[in-house]
Amino acid sequence: MKIVMLGAPGAGKGTQAAMIAEKFGIPHISTGDIFRYNLKNGTELGKKAKEYMDQGLLVPDELTCEIVADRIFMDDCKNGYILDGFPRNISQGEYLTKVLREAGQKVDFAINVDVPDENIVVRMSGRRACPNCGATYHIVNIPPKKEGICDTCGSELIQRADDKAETVKKRLDVYHDATEPLIQFYKGLGVLYTVDGTKPMSEVFADITKILED
Ligand code: AP5
């Protein structure tokens, strides 16, 4: 089962991808998490990616595509995976289609989590993330049991640098320009499914699970 998550920044892709990965026993591959991990560890890739991420821009394809192509053919991906944050533009979508086709494979489901821009800004400002294990919370909607502390690993939660209001607006612009056209792209491939991402998290999850199990 090869799944691509589509949706605006803050639509809940990461939240849902983590739950789906757990339920179906497949890896959750987030390009944003890969870049943040590299950033935290001071790698060259992390330093280069930071320049773009801090401005709300996409990291160039040449830094992104190969990382994904290497990751999706690793052993743990044999039964499938869920891609969260990739592809992010048409050229990445075409790249993914090509490398999969060369391996006799294809994307089975492109799940578009639909949330209007107005809701996004509220969500992003309340989001807190664990820098250690990647778990995501929201100070009002999905608070951790103990304020500021990750339920899963006990680390101190942080606010992502790119969740500042002006950067969020830029990310939304980039989403509408570059990423939204992928909805038509996957519709054309006959694998697009849209869910209402404004529903409570558990309902969104139930809707996605139904699509994947039908
Ligand atoms: P990335 O990490 O992929 O960020 P994003 O797509 O902007 O998405 P987010 O992680 O911000 O949001 P999400 O949709 O996962 O929402 P979440 O579940 O956290 O990318 C970051 C940057 O890396 C990019 O800007 C770019 O620079 C670079 N990058 C990454 N991939 C790239 C690529 N392929 N090419 C080039 N550059 C790339 O939820 C958001 C909040 O809402 C949370 O607080 C959550 O708890 C809450 N929430 C979730 N669901 C619900 C719900 N149903 N109801 C209420 N609240 C909810």
Side-chain angles (χ1 to χ4, degrees), residues 7-16 30-33 35-36 49 52-53 56-61 64 84-88 92 123-124 126-128 136-138 141-142 160 162-163 171 197-201 204:
K13 302 181 297 295
T15 303
Q16 296 299 328
S30 156
T31 39
D33 285 350
F35 291 137
R36 281 185 287 277
Y52 300 91
M53 292 171 78
L57 301 173
L58 293 185
V59 176
D61 291 352
T64 311
D84 162 18
F86 188 95
R88 203 64 163 230
Q92 291 182 7
R123 282 196 187 179
M124 305 295 248
R127 173 163 60 181
R128 296 295 179 271
T136 312
Y137 303 87
H138 188 280
N141 299 333
I142 313 151
R160 268 169 49 175
D162 59 351
D163 278 351
R171 288 164 66 197
T198 63
K199 292 183 183 176
M201 222 168 79
V204 181

Side-chain angles (χ1 to χ4, degrees), residues 109-198:
F109 300 92
I111 307 284
N112 175 33
V113 184
D114 187 34
V115 176
D117 287 9
E118 309 83 83
N119 303 37
I120 297 287
V121 180
V122 176
R123 282 196 187 179
M124 305 295 248
S125 57
R127 173 163 60 181
R128 296 295 179 271
C130 175
N132 183 43
C133 74
T136 312
Y137 303 87
H138 188 280
I139 50 174
V140 179
N141 299 333
I142 313 151
K145 291 190 186 98
K146 189 172 172 209
E147 195 185 325
I149 301 294
C150 179
D151 292 348
T152 312
C153 72
S155 301
E156 206 166 314
L157 300 176
I158 56 156
Q159 181 168 33
R160 268 169 49 175
D162 59 351
D163 278 351
K164 285 180 287 185
E166 62 278 22
T167 315
V168 170
K169 287 194 189 104
K170 181 69 200 165
R171 288 164 66 197
L172 278 169
D173 288 345
V174 170
Y175 167 75
H176 290 301
D177 285 350
T179 312
E180 210 170 21
L182 283 166
I183 294 173
Q184 285 307 318
F185 178 85
Y186 281 109
K187 196 173 182 186
L189 294 178
V191 294
L192 180 77
Y193 300 84
T194 294
V195 294
D196 178 357
T198 63

Side-chain angles (χ1 to χ4, degrees), residues 19-31:
M19 293 159 78
I20 296 162
E22 194 183 347
K23 180 172 173 72
F24 292 93
I26 53 176
H28 170 195
I29 303 170
S30 156
T31 39

